[in-house]
């Protein structure tokens, strides 16, 4: 009896111990606990939001953790982090390290490596960490862009008003254009037409100037957005972020404005081809409609992503 | 009014005395647990027998409970996860809840119901029968011979059985998730690994051992409180089991505090 | 008598092998487990070895067949012999028999007791019997500390 109990107890302890050790060992192995670990050091001007145990991420995967934080004699914060052997290939000499503070979740250090075959990062090297802006700062940076977008919207609204107003500039342009075509059908010359209605010609030029101004502003806005894209992180500037969306819409707007320009140029040039001029005017009208829709979409998307209603002002969290 | 105040005072004094006794007994047992001379052939025999009755004898029932429980919990939780579109949380649910919380808790309840009550009654009966005096008269230290092997056995039983419970539930989880989500072994293991934390695993083992320590120490202590009257045995068991339940709740709360704060 | 017994036990602490109703057999141990407990605990004798030794000792009383039984399943004589053997396992034992006829309820005369003591004589250094004065006649020629 006693020996049978001893055997059963021994068997149970052996099997369960093997199972537990195998499970723990498997987790330890997969987590790289037994693997050779490489330690690297980064520097930062501030230790704010840095913490021991903070994850080091590459391509969305946690590849290591911050092991210690130190303040050197120059007041620089030294961040030491450990990477297991199997992930060491992603840490290269040209890797960039960004301290990211996402909207939701804990801060993390994001490693970006363009050339994975480049020379490895020397353990003695101390690259500086780039601090990605947090939400407040991002919103601050986004503010001028939104302001510009608002100005564009204002200008487009003015165009829309002109279109809607029977006495507005655009209606007059269109009426004048019709006059032009009718005159052209009567085979009157361009000079006769221009001299016949000097006000209409001036209006077209003014509108053209206004649209050029919009195009220039949109361009400036794009440049600003692109500058930001280079410097900031995925969260706001990623594929589904706010700014790429604005950027795409603005691209569209720019393209449409360019087409509008060509159309107006065509009116300006007014050739002897009456049918062509009429088509240009139709294009002008439909393109203006498209601009209005595109900008409307811009407003809706910006509204959805960064809520502002009556005032073109971002509410900071 | 005065009698009410006296009752409150008496109750406070009793509680503090009881807590002090448990603390002192715990300290004595802990000291003996780490003393080499505690472990001899007699205490080894007690340990093996106790481990057999607590861990091995219960095994068939325990495994059936683990499989049924695993199927139920996994089935319900996975279906809810699927309906809510939260399949990313599958690993976290299994590792952060089932393995670290549910497994030790179900195991400790089962062991407390079965073995703690038995130990409590056994010690109380030995006290009533003067068997503790027998041991004393032959120079056998009850701490070394009776208590430490039982407590050690309780700790190891809890560690082994709660780990086994977790492994069974995870294995059942693989079956359930392959039925509900169509997940393969590799994807399932990967999901678990991503949520597995070495610190959590260590904490679970420590928590299980702590459960095991107190669900045997308290019944032993309460068994010793029995008088020489046979009717004191059920009273001792009753008191012991209530305190065991309180200890389980306190340990559960403290472990959650350690994990989440 | 109880006071005298208490003082005697205190004076010989560590060597006393007590046979008394106040020190019953451990109910969750078998006969051999009760006897082997002392060498297992004090001499750290391995269980198998202690068991073999105990079975040999039980053979002196022709009790091998009860080795696996527990206290409740024993006759008065078997219980007494088990207690005697347990007491004899104490190293350099000072055997103390406390009112042995309260255990040997089915035995009338002391010669059975003397026979039993002879069987473990080689294991015992001294034997002391404590009983009431009116029981002394039952012990025949044995020395009894009576009160």
């Amino acid at each position: 009896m006693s020996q049978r109990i001893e055997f059963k107890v021994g068997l149970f302890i052996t099997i369960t111990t093997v199972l537990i050790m195998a499970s723990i060992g498997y987790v330890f192995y997969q987590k790289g606990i037994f693997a050779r670990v490489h330690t690297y050091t980064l520097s930062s001007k501030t230790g704010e939001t840095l913490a021991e145990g903070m994850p080091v991420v590459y391509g969305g995967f946690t590849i290591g953790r911050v092991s210690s934080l130190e303040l050197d004699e120059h007041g620089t914060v030294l961040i030491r982090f450990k990477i297991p052997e199997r992930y060491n290939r992603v840490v290269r000499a040209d890797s960039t390290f960004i301290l990211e503070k996402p909207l939701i979740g804990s801060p993390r250090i994001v490693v970006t490596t363009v050339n994975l075959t480049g020379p490895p990062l020397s353990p003695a090297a101390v690259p500086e960490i780039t601090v990605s802006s947090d939400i407040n700062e991002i919103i601050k940076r986004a503010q001028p862009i939104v302001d510009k977008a608002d100005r564009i919207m204002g200008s487009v609204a003015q165009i829309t008003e002109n279109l809607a107003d029977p006495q507005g500039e655009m209606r007059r342009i269109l009426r004048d254009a019709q006059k032009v075509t009718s005159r052209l059908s009567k085979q009157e010359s361009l000079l006769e037409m221009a001299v016949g209605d000097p006000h209409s010609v001036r209006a077209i030029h003014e509108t053209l100037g206004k649209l050029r101004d919009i195009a220039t502003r949109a361009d400036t806005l794009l440049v600003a957005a692109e500058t930001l894209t280079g410097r900031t992180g995925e969260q706001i500037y990623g594929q589904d972020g706010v700014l790429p969306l604005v950027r795409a819409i603005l691209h569209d707007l720019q393209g449409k404005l360019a087409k509008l320009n060509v159309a107006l140029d065509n009116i300006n040039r007014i050739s002897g081809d009456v049918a062509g001029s009429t088509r240009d005017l139709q294009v002008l009208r439909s393109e203006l409609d498209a601009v209005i829709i595109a900008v409307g979409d811009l407003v809706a998307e910006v509204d959805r992503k960064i809520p502002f209603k009556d005032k073109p002002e971002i509410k900071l969290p | 009014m005065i009698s009410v105040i006296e009752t409150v005072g008496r109750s406070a004094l009793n509680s503090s005395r009881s807590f002090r006794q448990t603390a002192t007994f715990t300290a004595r047992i802990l000291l003996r647990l780490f003393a080499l001379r505690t472990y001899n052939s007699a205490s080894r025999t007690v340990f093996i027998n106790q481990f057999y009755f607590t861990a091995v004898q219960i095994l068939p029932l325990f495994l059936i409970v683990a499989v049924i429980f695993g199927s139920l919990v996994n089935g319900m939780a996975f279906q809810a996860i699927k309906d809510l579109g939260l399949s990313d949380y599958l690993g976290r649910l299994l590792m952060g809840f089932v393995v670290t919380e549910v497994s030790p808790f179900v195991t400790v309840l089962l062991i407390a119901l079965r073995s703690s009550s038995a130990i409590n009654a056994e010690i109380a009966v030995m006290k009533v029968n003067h068997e503790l005096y027998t041991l004393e008269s032959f120079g056998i230290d009850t701490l070394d011979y009776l208590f430490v092997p039982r407590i050690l056995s309780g700790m190891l039983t809890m560690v082994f059985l709660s780990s086994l419970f977790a492994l069974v539930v995870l294995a059942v989880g693989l079956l359930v998730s392959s039925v509900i989500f169509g997940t393969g072994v590799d994807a399932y293991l990967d999901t678990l690994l991503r949520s597995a934390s070495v610190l959590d695993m260590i904490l679970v083992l420590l928590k299980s051992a702590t459960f095991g320590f107190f669900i045997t120490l308290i019944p032993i202590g309460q068994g010793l409180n029995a008088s020489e009257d046979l009717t004191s045995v059920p009273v001792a068991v009753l008191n012991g089991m209530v305190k065991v339940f309180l200890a389980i709740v306190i340990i559960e709360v403290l472990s959650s505090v350690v994990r989440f704060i | 008598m109880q006071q005298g017994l208490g003082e005697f036990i205190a004076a010989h602490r560590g060597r006393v092998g007590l046979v008394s109703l106040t020190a019953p057999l451990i109910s969750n141990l078998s006969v051999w487990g009760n006897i082997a407990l002392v060498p297992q605990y004090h001499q750290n004798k391995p269980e198998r070895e202690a068991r073999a030794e105990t079975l040999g000792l039980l053979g002196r009383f022709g009790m091998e067949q009860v080795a696996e039984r527990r206290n409740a399943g024993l006759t008065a004589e078997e219980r007494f012999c088990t207690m005697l053997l347990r007491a004899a396992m104490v190293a350099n034992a000072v055997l103390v028999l406390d009112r042995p006829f309260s255990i040997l309820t089915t035995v009338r005369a002391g010669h059975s007791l003397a026979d039993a003591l002879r069987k473990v004589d080689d294991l015992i250094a001294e034997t002391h019997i404590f009983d009431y004065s009116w029981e002394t006649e039952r012990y025949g020629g044995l020395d009894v500390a009576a009160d």
Side-chain angles (χ1 to χ4, degrees):
Chain A
M1 173 68 184
S2 173
Q3 279 174 358
R4 220 166 49 225
I5 287 180
E6 278 179 12
F7 175 76
K8 284 179 182 175
V9 168
L11 192 68
F12 173 75
I13 291 180
T14 309
I15 292 174
T16 318
T17 307
V18 167
L19 278 174
I20 295 170
M21 296 311 284
S23 311
I24 294 177
Y26 179 72
V27 172
F28 276 34
Y29 175 74
Q30 291 294 332
K31 293 254 171 194
I33 305 284
F34 302 129
R36 207 174 130 220
V37 172
H38 297 265
T39 306
Y40 297 105
T41 310
L42 301 173
S43 69
S44 170
K45 288 187 177 66
T46 170
E48 207 181 331
T49 72
L50 288 168
E52 283 180 13
M54 178 186 275
V56 178
V57 177
Y58 177 85
F61 282 88
T62 301
I63 58 165
R65 292 204 175 267
V66 172
S67 57
S68 70
L69 296 168
E70 238 175 72
L71 194 65
D72 74 359
E73 63 272 21
H74 308 296
T76 307
V77 179
L78 297 177
I79 309 151
R80 279 185 231 289
F81 65 95
K82 290 183 174 170
I83 305 281
E85 174 69 29
R86 66 196 174 115
Y87 291 130
N88 194 43
R89 64 197 156 82
V90 303
V91 183
R92 304 279 101 183
D94 63 346
S95 295
T96 53
F97 301 90
I98 301 168
L99 172 62
E100 252 194 26
K101 294 171 249 178
L103 304 180
I104 299 165
S106 315
R108 61 207 182 149
I109 293 172
V110 176
V111 182
T112 312
T113 306
V114 178
N115 181 15
L116 287 173
T117 54
L121 179 65
S122 160
V126 187
E128 190 176 346
I129 196 166
T130 310
V131 180
S132 150
S133 312
D134 62 11
I135 180 65
N136 292 347
E137 207 174 318
I138 286 165
I139 289 172
K140 267 185 218 160
R141 284 198 190 187
Q143 187 77 57
I145 297 168
V146 177
D147 287 347
K148 280 178 186 171
D150 185 60
R151 283 208 296 277
I152 292 169
M153 281 181 254
S155 301
V156 173
Q158 212 176 326
I159 295 170
T160 321
E161 274 167 25
N162 274 336
L163 280 172
D165 182 5
Q167 300 306 315
E169 292 286 300
M170 287 307 286
R171 280 293 172 96
R172 283 170 62 186
I173 292 166
L174 290 171
R175 273 202 303 274
D176 291 342
Q178 274 171 349
K179 265 188 211 169
V180 169
T181 48
S182 63
R183 281 180 193 184
L184 278 172
S185 67
K186 289 172 190 168
Q187 295 191 343
E188 286 176 4
S189 70
L190 169 65
L191 185 63
E192 281 170 344
M193 183 191 72
V195 173
D197 193 353
H199 181 72
S200 141
V201 174
R202 198 173 61 244
I204 288 176
H205 276 288
E206 276 171 12
T207 311
L208 246 180
K210 196 171 279 177
L211 287 170
R212 279 203 185 96
D213 186 36
I214 292 170
T216 314
R217 283 178 187 180
D219 205 36
T220 316
L221 184 59
L222 279 174
V223 171
E226 272 160 7
T227 316
L228 282 170
T229 309
R231 274 193 261 143
T232 52
E234 285 281 313
Q235 288 283 321
I236 295 300
Y237 304 106
Q239 230 172 359
D240 298 313
V242 176
L243 294 183
L245 205 65
V246 173
R247 187 173 180 267
I249 293 164
L250 290 178
H251 257 303
D252 192 32
L253 174 65
Q254 194 190 34
K256 287 184 170 81
L257 289 174
K259 281 182 192 168
L260 201 59
N261 241 349
V262 173
L264 287 169
D265 275 342
N266 281 347
I267 294 172
N268 228 6
R269 272 192 264 108
I270 305 182
S271 66
D273 185 353
V274 178
S277 291
T278 312
R279 195 172 60 246
D280 281 340
L281 284 171
Q282 283 166 352
V283 170
L284 167 69
R285 177 59 196 256
S286 64
E287 287 298 333
L288 278 172
D289 281 345
V291 168
I292 292 156
I293 291 163
V295 173
D297 286 344
L298 165 73
V299 175
E301 280 303 321
V302 172
D303 220 2
R304 188 169 66 79
K305 296 265 177 176
I306 308 170
F308 60 89
K309 292 290 173 197
D310 300 320
K311 294 177 188 173
E313 173 192 329
I314 304 293
K315 299 269 186 270
L316 297 179
Chain B
M1 181 65 189
I2 288 172
S3 71
V4 171
I5 293 171
E6 277 174 353
T7 309
V8 170
R10 198 180 309 117
S11 155
L13 284 173
N14 285 342
S15 301
S16 95
R17 196 179 305 120
S18 164
F19 180 77
R20 206 170 50 243
Q21 275 174 357
T22 308
T24 314
F25 195 48
T26 303
R28 286 176 65 198
I29 293 285
L30 280 175
L31 284 175
R32 291 298 177 91
L33 261 176
F34 296 104
L36 208 60
R37 70 181 173 87
T38 305
Y39 302 98
N40 51 50
S41 171
S43 58
R44 254 197 314 275
T45 305
V46 174
F47 168 79
I48 289 170
N49 286 331
Q50 187 64 54
F51 192 85
Y52 174 75
F53 292 125
T54 313
V56 181
Q57 225 177 31
I58 197 181
L59 210 53
L61 169 76
F62 185 79
L63 290 177
I64 291 169
V65 169
V67 169
I68 293 172
F69 189 87
S71 311
L72 278 175
V73 167
N74 286 334
M76 286 189 297
F78 288 10
Q79 197 58 53
I81 275 181
K82 192 186 178 189
D83 292 346
L84 296 169
L86 299 170
S87 50
D88 289 351
Y89 290 87
L90 177 70
R92 250 184 265 176
L93 174 89
L94 284 170
M95 294 306 292
F97 182 64
V98 174
V99 172
T100 56
E101 297 296 335
V102 175
S103 298
F105 191 69
V106 174
T107 310
V108 77
L109 285 184
L110 214 62
I111 301 298
L113 285 171
R114 189 175 179 273
S115 295
S116 298
S117 51
I119 291 172
N120 203 328
E122 185 187 19
I123 301 295
V125 168
M126 285 182 88
K127 177 91 184 286
V128 172
N129 273 351
H130 303 285
E131 290 175 26
L132 298 181
Y133 173 72
T134 302
L135 295 175
E136 195 189 314
S137 66
F138 281 93
I140 294 170
D141 192 322
T142 47
L143 281 183
D144 292 351
Y145 173 69
L146 275 185
F147 307 155
V148 171
R150 277 174 172 75
I151 288 167
L152 192 64
S153 155
M155 291 166 77
L156 286 178
T157 297
M158 270 305 301
V159 169
F160 282 129
L161 288 187
S162 57
S163 305
L164 207 57
F165 191 96
L167 288 174
V168 170
V169 172
L170 291 181
V172 172
L174 172 61
L175 287 177
V176 176
S177 92
S178 68
V179 170
I180 294 180
F181 295 113
T183 317
V185 178
D186 286 346
Y188 182 75
L189 284 178
D190 188 55
T191 307
L192 293 183
L193 271 173
R194 266 189 280 129
S195 307
S197 144
V198 173
L199 186 69
D200 273 357
M201 290 170 85
I202 292 168
L203 271 177
V204 168
L205 294 180
L206 278 177
K207 179 165 114 174
S208 300
T210 312
F211 270 142
F213 183 87
F214 283 103
I215 64 163
T216 39
L217 178 117
I218 292 169
I220 287 172
Q222 292 302 310
L224 289 175
N225 283 344
S227 65
E228 293 190 354
D229 193 347
L230 263 178
T231 53
S232 68
V233 174
V235 177
V237 175
L238 185 147
N239 286 335
M241 293 313 288
V242 168
K243 287 187 177 168
V244 161
F245 183 73
L246 284 176
I248 290 172
V249 172
I250 291 169
I251 294 166
E252 193 59 55
V253 169
L254 287 179
S255 76
S256 301
V257 169
V258 170
R259 266 191 77 206
F260 297 112
I261 297 179
Chain C
M1 189 200 76
Q2 284 303 312
Q3 194 186 345
L5 177 65
E7 284 167 4
F8 184 86
I9 289 172
H12 294 82
R13 186 163 293 282
R15 283 184 61 202
V16 172
L18 184 63
V19 179
S20 168
L21 263 189
T22 58
L25 294 175
I26 304 295
S27 52
N28 62 10
L29 289 180
S30 60
V31 164
W32 80 261
N34 267 286
I35 301 167
L37 176 61
V38 176
Q40 271 191 283
Y41 184 84
H42 287 294
Q43 296 155 37
N44 196 15
K45 193 170 271 187
E47 190 190 89
R48 215 166 286 186
E49 208 178 302
R51 186 170 190 271
E53 186 188 3
T54 307
L55 290 177
L57 291 171
L58 283 169
R60 294 187 186 189
F61 294 91
M63 282 172 56
E64 300 96 325
Q65 76 284 359
V66 299
E68 296 295 342
R69 282 195 205 153
R70 301 220 169 169
N71 188 25
L74 299 176
T75 64
E77 272 185 85
E78 286 167 349
R79 190 171 295 121
F80 177 78
C81 291
T82 307
M83 289 167 105
L84 187 65
L85 280 173
R86 179 178 67 180
M89 297 313 291
V90 175
N92 199 18
V94 174
L95 186 65
V96 175
L97 298 170
D98 172 23
R99 291 161 290 165
F101 287 111
S102 63
I103 306 166
L104 280 167
T105 47
T106 54
V107 174
R108 190 171 173 79
H111 61 85
S112 313
L113 181 65
D115 285 348
L117 286 174
R118 248 193 308 281
K119 285 176 185 165
V120 292
D121 195 43
D122 57 318
L123 305 170
I124 295 162
E126 296 170 30
T127 303
H128 298 269
I129 301 172
F130 289 80
D131 210 332
Y132 298 109
S133 51
W134 60 85
E135 291 278 19
T136 48
E137 282 176 19
R138 292 177 73 180
Y139 291 94
L142 291 172
D143 249 358
V144 180
D147 189 12

